[in-house]
Amino acid sequence: MKRTISATVNNSTGVLNRITGLFSRRQFNIESITVGMTENPEISRMTFVVNVDSDRGLDQVIKQLNKQVDVLKVRDISDENIVARELALIRVVATPQTRGEIETLARPFRASIIDVGRESMTLQVTGDHQKVEAFIDLIKPYGLKELARTGTTALKRSSKKQSQDLHYSFIQ
Amino acid sequence: MVENQRDEGGTEMGTSVRTQAEKTANEQQTQKLNGSQIVLRALAEENVDIIFGYPGGAILPTYDEIYKMGIHHILARHEQGAIHAAEGYARVSGKPGVCVVTSGPGATNVVTGIADAMIDSLPMIVITGQVATNVIGTDAFQEADVVGVTMPITKHNIQLRDVNDIPRVMKEAFHIATTGRPGPVLIDLPKDVSTAIGEFKYPKQVHMPGYQPTVQPNRLQIKKVAAAVERAKKPVILAGAGVLHADGADELFEYATKQQIPVTNTLLGLGSFPGNHPQFLGMAGMHGLYAANMALHECDLLINVGARFDDRLTGSLNYFAPEAEVVHIDVDPAEIGKNVETAIPVVGDAKEALKSLSALDKAPVPYDEWHQHLRHYSDDYPLWYNDDGKTIKPQALLDMVYEETKGEAIVTTDVGQHQMWAAQYYRFANPHRWVTSGGLGTMGFGFPAAIGAQFAEPNRDVIAVIGDAGFQMTMQEMSILQELNLPVKIVIVNNASLGMVRQWQELFYEERYSHSLFPIQPDFLKLAEAYNIKAYKIEDPSEARATFQKGLKEDGPVLFDFRVTADENCYPMIAPGKGHHEMEGIRP
């Protein structure tokens, strides 16, 4: 099952290495990981999407992360009310004839054209995983030249409406 | 004019004296020192009285300060010896073991010991030299990414970049190593940082929001445990090394005897409960006692205090404690539910948890039937071996070592048959007398660990029970015994093979002894002679006791080369994939 985990960590050297190393040696599969500074430059937020096969596996991920001295707080936010976004940059074959079509497709996805060349154009799309996926699918037939995607980054919504209890049995 | 001059002179002198006094007063607070001095001052602040190590290029500035300051330092002959000695010291003293080595090969040579300390939760401070910051990353001479290498096998590690960080980092390192679940902390010290000038002001407190171990157990959970004990008909306590790390042997004794619950130990938990007590079932696990394993198999309540349900303890998880409601008390929340599903988790220090349990003042339920049932296992399936009187049986040897030292000695071992026999036959009655490489199973551990143990307890007999193979991995440390006339007694259980490997090849690989036999052995007596250490070779079982008695009385180090029955197997045993109830070799 796919879970989204959000962690705040000390913005210190090697912290990303420390955490990805922890995942790999415990055989947890990271689907995506994003890292960036928070409002406090000494603290970074990491968002992982992991694929775990059981609740116990998930429990271990969270607990092992929590054991790291540089990790300040870890939460499985999959079942919470969250805003989650990915970003993709797509360079697609675009002739003067197809440019208009592509632009029309981009509009409902609120994708923006950020670069136009003689034979291609580059689009930027942000949104949740499905939306980005759907847009790439749609644009693929024109001929993908290059594609770059970020992982998911996420925050809890400000208005709290928690649907169910936390999914793991973390005790501390 | 003259008077004025004199006045000025006087004033000057006065000023100079005052400044000197002020300086002395300020010295306690801040002082300009170089990085190496700061490191050593921090060690002094942490009451470190002994360092195990080996010098080299990148750590030379620190060694120069060790020389100038005259710090108690033990020079090993290989870095592996230094770190295992520090481990032995930590295990017996309960204080963090400190190991200082150089960069590159010096650091990589301690990797085994760091991993060993990590898996057995020993408090350790490892200081590695590192090349200067301006050449880090250039594959400089003796450069290795030690922080990267040791990240998975340390509780925490850090590379110093700024001399002014040293006091804080040192304070935090000791705090991390010794609190919560203990573990090794590595500090990588680049050469230029160790020579840079900085201020020494040792912090009184640490501030680490990401590291807040839970010591006090949750009261509600403790009450749940007590209620489970009241419900239970067949409870058993499994006590691990966590009890020893928390210094909770007395609390365990009080609780277990008050509630009259039978107790078993993990390999590393031996000594946390008296090995000769009627409530004690013996060690559990792969080579544990039948009674202990059957107690785990049949119990309806399993109270695990400070053990991590290692696979060598549990056997196949498919058959582990099938009827038990599991209570798991551990200071490391990640251990709870890792291997075995837990009904009542208690996060906290073992000592505090046992204290809270005893304080609940529940009337003891006698469990008479259960005790009787287990006694039948103990009586009918004791440890056994066939004594032919012609060769020294390793089991008889360990039993003899126990008797002759009255169970009072500190015993260290490597991994393998001799380790299991020591665990079975040396009925540890006291905590911190058993030093063994449990989780990592490190050959070459036992002998240097004995050296560290002897420094921790100079007046106690320290017996290094070592296989002939493991001894050959770190035997160069006999130099330390020679140099300091350290009274460590080396008992080589010499079966001219990798005993446990040979046993497995016999049982599971159709007797294909692939590179596990040593047809030619070094002459250990001559080797000992080269190090000026007294040595005995004993082949005749009738001479074993008298020779051991004689050697024990010697003041300095003694090496005993006991030639034991070569093809003896260690029983009883749980074969791989089997459960506690499927032990083999429970009867002759």
Side-chain angles (χ1 to χ4, degrees):
Chain A
M1 59 184 170
K2 213 179 260 189
R3 309 295 297 179
T4 307
I5 296 167
S6 171
T8 43
V9 301
N10 285 332
N11 188 5
S12 56
T13 332
V15 67
L16 182 62
N17 187 6
R18 206 176 279 283
I19 284 171
T20 50
L22 184 151
F23 277 97
S24 67
R25 74 176 180 274
R26 302 244 173 211
Q27 300 194 50
F28 299 130
N29 191 12
I30 305 177
E31 292 226 326
S32 82
I33 184 166
T34 64
V35 195
M37 235 183 247
T38 62
E39 70 288 354
N40 178 348
E42 284 175 14
I43 294 172
S44 294
R45 179 181 299 278
M46 295 187 174
T47 310
F48 319 91
V49 178
V50 285
N51 222 329
V52 288
D53 37 13
S54 65
D55 279 352
R56 193 192 279 182
L58 177 69
D59 202 37
Q60 265 299 302
V61 175
I62 307 256
K63 284 171 167 176
Q64 291 295 342
L65 280 170
N66 250 307
K67 267 176 81 164
Q68 295 296 317
V69 171
D70 280 328
V71 172
L72 303 171
K73 195 172 182 185
V74 190
R75 281 186 85 89
D76 174 10
I77 55 173
S78 326
D79 297 329
E80 295 189 39
N81 216 345
I82 56 170
V83 279
R85 291 290 179 270
E86 279 182 32
L87 179 143
L89 297 177
I90 310 154
R91 197 151 75 85
V92 65
V93 177
T95 57
Q97 288 79 23
T98 56
R99 263 183 218 154
E101 257 177 66
I102 293 171
E103 205 182 336
T104 321
L105 290 177
R107 210 167 298 139
F109 283 86
R110 290 184 206 165
S112 44
I113 297 153
I114 53 173
D115 182 47
V116 182
R118 208 174 293 164
E119 285 142 15
S120 70
M121 58 203 276
T122 306
L123 296 127
Q124 166 193 304
V125 62
T126 57
D128 63 21
H129 186 76
Q130 282 86 347
K131 178 184 164 189
V132 173
E133 200 82 338
F135 184 65
I136 293 168
D137 256 10
L138 202 64
I139 218 84
K140 210 180 262 168
Y142 293 93
L144 286 189
K145 287 179 85 91
E146 270 182 309
L147 174 69
R149 292 176 75 159
T150 67
T152 304
T153 188
L155 276 181
K156 284 202 294 176
R157 279 192 192 280
S158 17
S159 55
K160 259 194 193 167
K161 197 184 157 227
Q162 209 160 306
S163 53
Q164 67 186 95
D165 283 336
L166 285 181
H167 215 78
Y168 52 89
S169 65
F170 180 68
I171 313 127
Q172 207 181 17
Chain B
M1 279 290 279
V2 173
E3 273 185 15
N4 266 352
Q5 267 182 346
R6 204 182 290 149
D7 268 2
E8 275 170 17
T11 317
E12 253 174 35
M13 260 179 71
T15 316
S16 128
V17 168
R18 248 200 320 278
T19 339
Q20 197 60 45
E22 269 167 17
K23 236 194 204 160
T24 324
N26 280 343
E27 243 167 10
Q28 268 89 46
Q29 267 97 54
T30 48
Q31 203 179 7
K32 295 273 182 202
L33 295 173
N34 71 36
S36 304
Q37 290 167 330
I38 295 177
V39 167
L40 297 173
R41 284 287 294 270
L43 292 179
E45 290 280 343
E46 296 290 343
N47 299 316
V48 171
D49 43 27
I50 188 166
I51 298 172
F52 300 90
Y54 204 100
I59 199 77
L60 271 181
T62 306
Y63 268 82
D64 194 43
E65 296 304 333
I66 288 175
Y67 182 86
K68 288 193 244 169
M69 289 158 88
I71 288 167
H72 192 195
H73 174 279
I74 305 304
L75 173 66
R77 264 50 172 186
H78 185 291
E79 285 89 350
Q80 189 185 1
I83 190 137
H84 291 327
E87 283 184 87
Y89 177 84
R91 191 62 153 142
V92 171
S93 70
K95 290 161 64 175
V98 178
C99 184
V100 180
V101 295
T102 194
S103 65
T108 54
N109 276 347
V110 294
V111 166
T112 304
I114 295 172
D116 192 276
M118 179 69 175
I119 199 161
D120 285 351
S121 312
L122 299 179
M124 298 275 287
I125 300 291
V126 183
I127 297 168
T128 52
Q130 182 54 279
V131 299
T133 47
N134 63 335
V135 290
I136 287 178
T138 65
D139 303 321
F141 177 65
Q142 293 194 327
E143 182 190 358
D145 174 13
V146 174
V147 170
V149 167
T150 59
M151 216 171 253
I153 52 166
T154 47
K155 189 171 173 187
H156 191 59
N157 64 10
I158 191 162
Q159 185 173 69
L160 285 161
R161 296 285 171 85
D162 183 342
V163 65
N164 293 312
D165 287 341
I166 299 178
R168 176 184 57 80
V169 167
M170 293 294 289
K171 178 83 186 173
E172 288 177 357
F174 275 86
H175 181 69
I176 294 168
T178 54
T179 54
R181 178 181 183 172
V185 178
L186 182 138
I187 298 156
D188 201 29
L189 177 63
K191 193 170 187 178
D192 56 330
V193 178
S194 77
T195 53
I197 302 296
E199 265 181 11
F200 181 77
K201 187 179 176 194
Y202 205 61
K204 292 213 160 44
Q205 274 172 340
V206 291
H207 175 68
M208 281 184 288
Y211 179 74
Q212 307 282 342
T214 308
V215 175
Q216 286 299 335
N218 183 301
R219 288 185 56 83
L220 210 73
Q221 296 301 102
I222 290 288
K223 278 186 185 158
K224 278 192 196 164
V225 178
V229 171
E230 258 181 308
R231 276 199 305 274
K233 300 244 174 335
K234 299 186 284 181
V236 63
I237 294 174
L238 170 69
V243 176
L244 297 167
H245 293 307
D247 203 13
D250 292 345
E251 285 74 9
L252 172 66
F253 186 80
E254 195 196 329
Y255 179 67
T257 50
K258 186 179 152 200
Q259 294 294 337
Q260 298 176 30
I261 304 174
V263 180
T264 178
N265 274 154
T266 65
L267 172 72
L268 285 169
L270 290 173
S272 63
F273 193 80
N276 42 14
H277 193 276
Q279 260 172 259
F280 188 60
L281 301 167
M283 176 178 75
M286 183 171 267
H287 293 284
L289 276 87
Y290 189 62
N293 283 347
M294 287 311 285
L296 290 177
H297 188 69
E298 293 176 357
C299 66
D300 62 356
L301 174 67
L302 168 53
I303 305 172
N304 171 350
V305 195
R308 58 188 179 87
F309 286 129
D310 173 69
D311 56 280
R312 283 294 194 270
L313 172 95
T314 60
S316 167
L317 284 170
N318 298 331
Y319 311 108
F320 181 72
E323 285 155 40
E325 181 175 14
V326 176
V327 172
H328 192 165
I329 301 169
D330 207 304
V331 74
D332 178 358
E335 285 305 331
I336 298 176
K338 187 182 79 178
N339 298 331
V340 171
E341 225 154 314
T342 305
I344 309 172
V346 180
V347 178
D349 177 87
K351 185 191 186 97
E352 296 303 325
L354 289 162
K355 230 194 259 178
S356 321
L357 278 168
S358 292
L360 280 180
D361 208 31
K362 293 271 178 190
V365 191
Y367 315 115
D368 285 339
E369 217 172 296
W370 176 230
H371 277 286
Q372 224 166 350
H373 181 69
L374 293 175
R375 206 163 303 128
H376 143 79
Y377 283 134
S378 297
D379 293 347
D380 292 359
Y381 305 95
L383 292 171
W384 63 271
Y385 57 91
N386 293 320
D387 205 347
D388 56 10
K390 285 183 209 131
T391 52
I392 300 174
K393 288 282 168 172
Q395 300 93 330
L397 171 63
L398 268 305
D399 206 28
M400 191 262 290
V401 170
Y402 168 73
E403 284 170 11
E404 291 306 321
T405 55
K406 299 173 188 70
E408 292 290 317
I410 292 166
V411 176
T412 73
T413 74
D414 276 7
V415 64
Q417 286 185 322
H418 70 278
Q419 176 191 36
M420 290 300 131
W421 283 316
Q424 289 174 339
Y425 288 90
Y426 206 93
R427 285 140 268 182
F428 293 91
N430 296 294
H432 306 298
R433 306 269 170 88
W434 173 230
V435 181
T436 195
S437 173
L440 201 66
T442 307
M443 286 177 73
F445 168 86
F447 175 46
I451 293 171
Q454 188 77 77
F455 281 110
E457 286 238 30
N459 298 320
R460 191 173 290 283
D461 284 341
V462 175
I463 317 279
V465 177
I466 313 289
D468 50 293
F471 186 57
Q472 291 184 59
M473 286 192 172
T474 46
M475 62 188 178
Q476 72 283 355
E477 304 308 336
M478 279 196 283
S479 267
I480 303 181
L481 300 190
Q482 176 187 22
E483 197 179 306
L484 301 162
N485 198 33
L486 218 58
V488 170
K489 307 292 184 277
I490 306 163
V491 171
I492 303 178
V493 183
N494 191 342
N495 55 10
S497 65
L498 299 168
M500 195 61 95
V501 172
R502 193 207 57 77
Q503 176 170 342
W504 278 54
Q505 286 171 337
E506 179 188 323
L507 300 177
F508 311 120
Y509 296 89
E510 292 162 342
E511 301 184 28
R512 287 184 295 275
Y513 298 123
S514 182
H515 302 271
S516 60
L517 308 179
F518 290 144
I520 296 171
Q521 289 281 44
D523 187 333
F524 287 116
L525 258 55
K526 280 192 180 153
L527 201 65
E529 195 186 322
Y531 286 99
N532 205 15
I533 290 172
K534 195 159 258 176
Y536 303 95
K537 177 170 149 186
I538 310 103
E539 284 173 300
D540 187 343
S542 66
E543 289 168 10
R545 188 175 296 267
T547 314
F548 187 62
Q549 279 171 344
K550 192 171 144 202
L552 260 191
K553 284 193 196 107
E554 304 270 359
D555 283 337
V558 177
L559 180 146
F560 303 94
D561 181 10
F562 283 104
R563 301 299 176 101
V564 300
T565 317
D567 53 0
E568 195 67 20
N569 283 344
C570 186
Y571 286 121
M573 173 180 195
I574 306 173
K578 296 285 171 72
H580 280 151
H581 59 303
E582 298 172 296
M583 287 198 93
E584 291 164 28
I586 52 173
R587 277 189 203 273

